[in-house]
Structure formats: C-alpha cells, structure tokens
Amino acid sequence: MNLTLKVWRQKDAKSPGRMVEYQAANIIPDMSFLEMLDVVNEGLIARGEEPIAFDSDCREGICGTCSLVINGIAHGGQRGTTACQLHMRHFQDGQTITIEPWRAKSFPVLKDLVTDRGAFDRIIQAGGFVSVNTGGTPDANALPVAKVDSDRAMDAAACIGCGACVAACKNASAMLFVSAKVSHLALLPQGKVERNQRVLNMVQQMDAEGFGNCTVTGSCEAVCPKEISLDFIARLNREYGKALLKGATGHKETV
Amino acid sequence: MKLDSNIPSGPLAQKWDKHKFEMKLVNPANKRKFDVIVVGSGLAGASAAATMAELGYRVKCFCFQDSPRRAHSIAAQGGINAAKNYANDGDSIYRLFYDTIKGGDFRSREANVYRLAQVSVNIIDQCVAQGVPFAREYGGLLTNRSFGGAQVSRTFYARGQTGQQLLLGAYQALCRQIGHGNVKMYPRTEMLELVVVDGQAKGIIARDLVTGEISAHAGDAVVLATGGYGNVFYLSTNAKGCNVTATWRAYKKGAAFANPCYTQIHPTCIPVSGDHQSKLTLMSESLRNDGRVWAPKKKGDTRPANQIPEDERDYLLERKYPSFGNLAPRDISSRAAKEVCDEGRGVGPGGLGVYLDFADAIKRLSLETVKERYGNLFEMYEKITGEDAYQTPMRIYPAVHYTMGGTWVDYNLMSSLPGLFVIGEANFSDHGANRLGASALMQGLADGYFILPYTIGNYFASQKPAKANVSHPEFKKALEDAGALTKRLLSINGKRSVTSFHRELGKLMWEKCGMARSTESLKEALARIPELRSEFWKNVKVTGETGSLNQDLEAAGRVADFLEFAELLCLDALTREESCGGHFRVEHQYPDGEAKRDDEHFAFVSAWEYQGPGKPPVLNKEPLTYEEVHMSTRSYK
C-alpha cells in the first residue's frame, strides 16, 4: 500500500504547529498503524530529519499511552480499538490519512503528536482511591460482593485513561473518565465509605483542570477503546447529586 | 566480592517472622528524615512507593512513561497466584512454595520463595480492600482459575486484565500519597546514572524527557523497580519502552547482576507476521485451561486446520505430558512447540506456529461461556491477525516474555551495593530458571507492599539520616558523565538508525541465544556483539537535540546499554553448562529431548561483577542449598 499522510508537527509546547505531508510507501496490510509510522520515521531518520514524535508503549491496547486522532477520530474509528491495535488492512491503497494529537486545553501538546495528560493523574490524586494503607486488611472473602456489582465495577474499571473521550468531545469533557473511576469504586462495598467525599473532590479537580461539561452527545463512548458506557456518566451525576445533598461530612479521611 | 544472602537461621516456615522481629525499626517520628528514591512505577515500584510513604518516609518516584499508571505490569492478562485455598482443592503455602521452587527448576532460593508464598495471601486481601474487582462467583466470593505448572486452582483474575487492575490499585494508593504530598512523582523522567558515595547508593541522575534537563537527586536509599530486559531480543512481549538501562548502569557502579541467561520464552504468543513487526503480543496462558495445542502429524501439511482429521493431529502437550497436558509449564511448552516446528510440522507463514484450538471447549462449554472467559483475548487476536478464532484455531508461537535474571539481591532485597534495593522483575530473586504463570504479579506486589518496606527500615535503622548532598563531587561527576554520553550519541551522525541496530542485535540474540543455545552459537554471538557495538558507536544516526523531547535519543541510550548487556547474557549462558528452566543448552539434554540439569556443578546463582570497560566480568557464585525440599528431576509427565 502507498499512502499520503498529513501529520501535525509542532516543535514544542510554545511553538506553533502545522500539518506536514509525508508519503508512506510499501506499507503492508498486516502492519499496525504505529508500525506504519515507524516505517515513515525510519525514512525520515535516513534523510536526517527528525522523526515524528508520538506516544506508545505496550502496543497491545492496554497501557493507554498511544493517543492519535486519525482522520478526525480519536484512535481512528474502529470500535473498541486503540491506535496501536488498528491495522493497516482497514485502510485503502492511495488513501490520504490525517494524524493529529489529542486536542484539548487540558492536554497541552508537548511535541508533534505527544500531549501532556497529567490532568488525569491529578484527578485521581484528588480522590480516585480507597483510603487503605498496606497491611491489616480483612480476609478477601470476608465481605461478599454481588457478582452483578463486581462485574459492573469491572466494566468501569476497564478504563485505560488514554483520554480519547476528552479528545472526541466537543467540550473536551472528562466526564467519561471521571465517571468510570467514581462508578468503579462506588459500586464496591470497599469504596462506599468515601463515596461522597470522593466524587466531590474528583469533580472539583476535573473543573479546576479546565475540562468542559458534558452535553451527552456520546462521542466519548463511541471512541472509547474499552467501550466504557455512557451510563456511567448518569451514575456520576447521581453520585454527585447525592453527595451535594448529603455532604461529605463524616466521610473525611483522617490523615 | 563477598555475597552474603543474609538468609535468617531457623526453620523455613519461621524465617520471615523471626527476621521481621529481629530487624531494627525506625521510630515513626524519624521516618520523615529519610528520603527514598524509587525508580519505576509498576506493580513493585508503585506499591513500594505508596507503602513507604504511608509509613512516613519521604519518597521520590520516577517513571519514563507519561503517567505511573502505564508501567508494563499493566499488560499482564491472566492472573495472580495466592495460596488461599479458597477452591478447597488442597492448596497451601507449602504447596505454592513447592510448585514455585520446582517450576523454577531448583535454581531459586528456598527462603525467598517460601516468604513469597507466605505473603501471597496478604496481597489478595490488600488488593480487594483497594477495590480491585477480581472475578467472583454468584455467591459473592472470589473465584479462581488454573494456570500452568500447578494442579490446583489458585489464580485470582480480573477478566483478562488482571495486571491492569492490580496496577491501578497500586497506582491509586500511590496517587493518594502524591495527593497528600508524601510522594513527589516525576513522570517522563528516565534514570541515567546511579550515584555511589563512599560505597553506598545515595542518589540518581535523571533526564527530564520533555525538557531534556539532566538533574541530580539525592536520597538515603535507592530502589530500582525497573522491570526486565526482554527487549534485548528486540521482539518480545515487553512494551516498547522496557529497557535494562537502570539495572545495567547500577551494575557498572558495582551492583552484581545475577543469572542473566534465565530468560522466559512464553509459549502462547501471536506468531511474527513480517519484518516490520515492532513487538509481539502474548495471548494469556489462561487460554491453555480450555484450548488444546496441536500440530499436524504430517510434515508440510498445508491443509486448513478444520480439514485435518482428528487422527492426523498431534496434541503434543497431551501426548508428551499426560498429567499436566496443556497446562505444562512455559519453558516446557515452548520447547515442545519449537520441536514440532523444527521437524517441519509448524503451521502458518514460515511454518512457525502451532494451533491452539477451542473447538472442543466450545462443544463442551458453549460458545457463550468461552466468550465470557476469553472474549477480550479472541478480540485481540482478531485485531492483530484478522482471523476469527471461534471458527479456526489460533496460531501461536513462543516469544520472549519475562526475564528471571536481574540484579543480585540478598534476602532483604538489597543488592551487593549497600543502599541499593532492587524489586520486582528487575531483581533475580524468586523464580529460579523459570517463572510459573501468574507469579510475576505476585512477586512484584510481595516485594513492594510487604517485604521492602520492612527491610529498608532495617537498613535505615543502622544508618544516620546523613543524606548525601547533590553538591558532592560524585553527583557532579555522574551529572557530567550522563551529559557527555548524551552528547556523544548525538554527535556520531552516522548512517544507520538506532532501530536497525536494535533489530540486528535482537535477531542475533534470538537465533544464537534464544530457545536453544549451544557452545557454538553462543561463541558466535559473543564474537558478533562487540563488532555490532563498535559499529553502533561509529555509525549510528541519532537525530534531534538534547534540550527537548527526543525519542530517538531515548532509544539510542537504551540500545547502547542492550549492546553491552547482551554480551553478559551470552557469557552467562555459555558458562552455565547445563539445561535448566528457560535456559536450554543443546549439549545437555536427555535422549527424549528433556532438559538435563547438573546439580552437582551448577546449583548456584551466577552473580557477575563488573571490572571496568573492556575487562571480562568476574563470576561470583552463591551456592543454593536446600534444607527443606529435595532437588528432584522436574517431571510433568
């Protein structure tokens, strides 16, 4: 396959960026999208040009590092698939492909296709955990958890924190990401003790990071490589509403 | 070098409890006077950083990824072992201990492994309390699955994403401490040098991968949790960023490196599809619970799988190892697959593959059940190969997956350099010559949550919190060294890319020092590696500059270290004149092709000691003595 790529190049966070055209020749349909970029980069290095910077690590769809907007769609539009698991057999010979970084104020571009998603870490730091120290925990089977709750919690916990939901959202909202963690922990008895405080803190941090609000268009769910359901946003709203009414009193962690 | 394993005296089952009591403690008010540097934020690093911060130490944690949540522990699919005996099928701490020692082909330390089995039960309790959504039965209790090398069901799992869920548990605990200000996190920061002051590890030099700034960090102890070195083979199931740099540079500062030749080749990976391949993908070993491994009986049989009749199929693992069948340990299953491919009975492109067939399981259990158990793995297979494994059997082939070797550590997880602790896959400790499935997660978390936080206290209690200052000449020198190396890489401006060297090294290692190793092949590799290394330093082309985000430069530094490390790996493999676990020397096998271990001459840990550039390393031997178990020939027949 021979392809034309239009790729976002940006020297660093401060410099303006622009789309640059490259040819990707002799691409094999069994290559992953990132392997195709590897080939293009090898060509650039051979010519003494700087390769296109993009994030990737596990290349098996679980670490959440890769973050490309391909032809305008976060992760490229194959349902439930990260960019690293997208294969070239889904493209046509001669096609033009545009490749951009996540676009959101809260995810500033560091270079080319690499963005800073530290905002997600800071949201988790604000409350996305159960406050247990190591040691002294009861036997794992001391507290039965209904399979339906455990399975639902796992559905939410499957989020890989890639940020595609934010990149796809016209408001750059992080609600799907936040709702996944809030739901995961609120559904389990271990997370119930702190549920009010947790949701208030996480939402506060989400707002402080400058993410937009949710207008329920569902584009986040559509691009989510782990197919996290929009239902969790409804659950987040409910958790948040309840926490506002009940207040976090009595659930504050004592440090 | 004097290697003291510091194994406590007394009966095996009481060693750890006794040691915990005998270790000195640091007063709670004094803990905050100690600074700990943790490099790596996977299961071992994140759990250690979080736990030490909870105890009151001041922690700095570094990772090269953009977030601590992305460490490669996240990719573990199948599960985590623990001797809970929830399945009531005869499991116990002693059985998990024995299975692990036997699985490691009697090349691990008895006391370490027993301790690992002991704390395994605490790990599950800890993770559940953190909200890790392990799979459950309808009654609300936890469920288990079976894994290779064991005849009991002791593996806890969270769909096919166990590593991810355990890592998120540890990451969340770490985030909580970051939020409280007890841990300072440095993402996108890579360790370049270890700083040793008066014979003790006192800090690191690290490069900010975004700005390129190289800075010094001092502490009272340094903990490396930097994972394994599987990427020395270029193609492996490791993430692209996994590297040996931290442990290798620590080796060059005096921390002995143990058993580098113990590399694990995982039997169930998706076969290589072409030269463009950037990494290999593992299909969880849990698939072997229900999938049956087979190859055609006839050589060069090119018929599609479903047109090969039952009596012309060779269910190789069931035939060779009837009592363990498809759940034979990894090293054994991998070699069995290689054997049939070598005989010309392999399937798929290049004949490098065997089938993993679920037709019987679908008949026995229903399609829905198979989908529920393994759905995400079948999807992953479909994405990569474009084939539907519910219809045609999967094709699998062994690939480099895990490295049992690593920095030598004593019972306290301290390396031969005082003040340098090494945990998780980065150390050599508990898996001997072969790791059993679902034991890597167990070891990483055991080290991080339950062992290091105790033993590091003992070290601090015998130290004064007189932390080295970054203005010390050793820090200045290390800073200059790191800067000079970076500049040198950028100044070569040759003709070949970093990847082309890495690929060539990997191919050489796989062919000469992979699943089967011989004196001849190892000598060839040992002759070729220095040539390749010297070409690298003359002819590599690294683009860009040092003062900004430069992925080419990052890769160059890592490949430069692999080019040195590979030689030690091959040397270790050549020196170990026996076959054990993942290390198979063709000269040492029984007539039926099984590995021939030599306990008389090789029941020791090889701990290699650096002697300076261009000088051969010195081999130190730590004898392995077994007080409790009898060293037997490993049989899964």
Side-chain angles (χ1 to χ4, degrees), chain B residues 338-361:
Chain B
K338 181 183 187 297
E339 263 170 39
V340 301
C341 294
D342 288 350
E343 286 168 22
R345 295 195 283 129
V347 298
L352 291 177
V354 293
Y355 289 123
L356 180 62
D357 198 335
F358 286 83
D360 285 349

Side-chain angles (χ1 to χ4, degrees), chain B residues 240-254:
Chain B
K240 289 297 286 175
C242 294
N243 64 78
V244 76
T245 290
T247 47
W248 184 250
R249 296 194 186 176
Y251 163 79
K252 289 167 86 172
K253 288 285 170 75

Side-chain angles (χ1 to χ4, degrees), chain A residues 35 42 54-55 57-60 63 80 89 111 121 134-135 139-141 145 155 157 161 181 184 253, chain B residues 51 54 67 70 84 86 125-126 131 140 142 159 165 171-172 188 240-241 278-279 383-384 497 549 551:
Chain A
E35 285 167 351
E42 284 289 292
F54 64 92
D55 266 331
D57 203 26
C58 80
R59 296 202 176 192
E60 47 190 85
C63 73
R89 65 179 82 92
K111 182 173 187 169
D121 287 326
T134 302
D139 184 86
N141 260 350
V145 182
D155 291 342
K181 190 47 65 192
H184 158 211
E253 186 199 357
Chain B
T51 304
E54 287 162 8
S67 159
R70 308 212 194 278
K84 281 287 198 185
Y86 284 167
D125 298 344
Q126 184 65 34
L142 297 166
R159 292 201 189 138
Q165 293 309 315
Y171 160 76
Q172 287 164 204
R188 289 198 198 272
K240 289 297 286 175
S278 61
K279 75 153 284 175
K383 275 173 195 159
I384 292 170
S497 71
L549 196 154
Q551 294 171 329

Side-chain angles (χ1 to χ4, degrees), chain A residues 49-100:
Chain A
E49 291 177 45
E50 254 201 90
I52 302 159
F54 64 92
D55 266 331
S56 83
D57 203 26
C58 80
R59 296 202 176 192
E60 47 190 85
I62 192 71
C63 73
T65 308
C66 63
S67 43
L68 304 176
V69 175
I70 300 162
N71 286 337
I73 304 175
H75 288 308
Q78 201 193 352
R79 200 157 177 88
T81 306
T82 53
C84 67
Q85 290 289 286
L86 180 65
H87 281 67
M88 297 314 292
R89 65 179 82 92
H90 301 289
F91 294 85
Q92 269 114 46
D93 190 24
Q95 197 177 343
T96 299
I97 303 172
T98 61
I99 310 171
E100 296 167 86

Side-chain angles (χ1 to χ4, degrees), chain A residues 170-250:
Chain A
K170 62 179 177 166
N171 305 324
S173 167
M175 290 277 272
L176 194 65
F177 169 77
V178 175
S179 75
K181 190 47 65 192
V182 164
S183 303
H184 158 211
L185 295 176
L187 275 158
L188 296 171
Q190 290 83 5
K192 283 210 161 70
V193 177
E194 295 171 285
R195 69 197 291 182
N196 293 348
Q197 182 71 62
R198 176 184 307 119
V199 68
L200 294 174
N201 288 349
M202 288 179 75
V203 169
Q204 187 185 33
Q205 186 65 35
M206 174 181 86
D207 291 341
E209 296 289 347
F211 291 105
N213 270 319
C214 174
T215 46
V216 207
T217 60
S219 54
C220 52
E221 184 192 68
V223 300
C224 176
K226 294 296 153 190
E227 302 182 76
I228 305 291
S229 162
L230 205 56
D231 293 353
F232 290 119
I233 294 186
R235 189 179 287 274
L236 168 64
N237 286 329
R238 196 160 73 238
E239 288 288 325
Y240 187 65
K242 273 201 298 197
L244 280 181
L245 290 171
K246 287 187 174 175
T249 341

Side-chain angles (χ1 to χ4, degrees), chain B residues 269-416:
Chain B
C269 298
I270 300 178
V272 178
S273 71
D275 291 337
H276 57 270
Q277 197 116 5
S278 61
K279 75 153 284 175
L280 296 172
T281 303
L282 170 82
M283 304 302 291
S284 167
E285 176 162 305
S286 62
L287 289 167
R288 290 199 277 140
N289 263 307
D290 289 308
R292 299 179 70 195
V293 176
W294 66 274
K297 282 186 180 164
K298 218 164 54 187
K299 279 183 194 176
D301 194 336
T302 52
R303 288 175 291 177
N306 50 19
Q307 285 174 27
I308 301 180
E310 200 59 33
D311 61 348
E312 291 180 41
R313 297 177 178 192
D314 172 22
Y315 291 92
L316 43 128
L317 293 177
E318 296 168 34
R319 170 175 58 83
K320 292 184 71 165
Y321 309 101
S323 68
F324 278 69
N326 291 296
L327 286 175
R330 291 174 173 178
D331 52 341
I332 285 176
S333 308
S334 292
R335 267 201 304 282
K338 181 183 187 297
E339 263 170 39
V340 301
C341 294
D342 288 350
E343 286 168 22
R345 295 195 283 129
V347 298
L352 291 177
V354 293
Y355 289 123
L356 180 62
D357 198 335
F358 286 83
D360 285 349
I362 291 169
K363 247 184 265 169
R364 180 165 47 89
L365 300 165
S366 86
L367 183 65
E368 282 63 44
T369 312
V370 172
K371 270 191 182 162
E372 193 192 311
R373 284 190 192 166
Y374 311 110
N376 64 322
L377 299 169
F378 278 65
E379 272 172 39
M380 194 156 89
Y381 184 80
E382 195 272 335
K383 275 173 195 159
I384 292 170
T385 62
E387 291 171 17
D388 178 2
Y390 295 110
Q391 301 294 330
T392 57
M394 284 180 186
R395 285 176 297 109
I396 54 164
Y397 195 66
V400 175
H401 176 56
Y402 185 89
T403 53
M404 283 73 69
T407 306
W408 183 90
V409 289
D410 67 3
Y411 188 73
N412 294 316
L413 305 179
M414 188 160 85
S415 73
S416 57

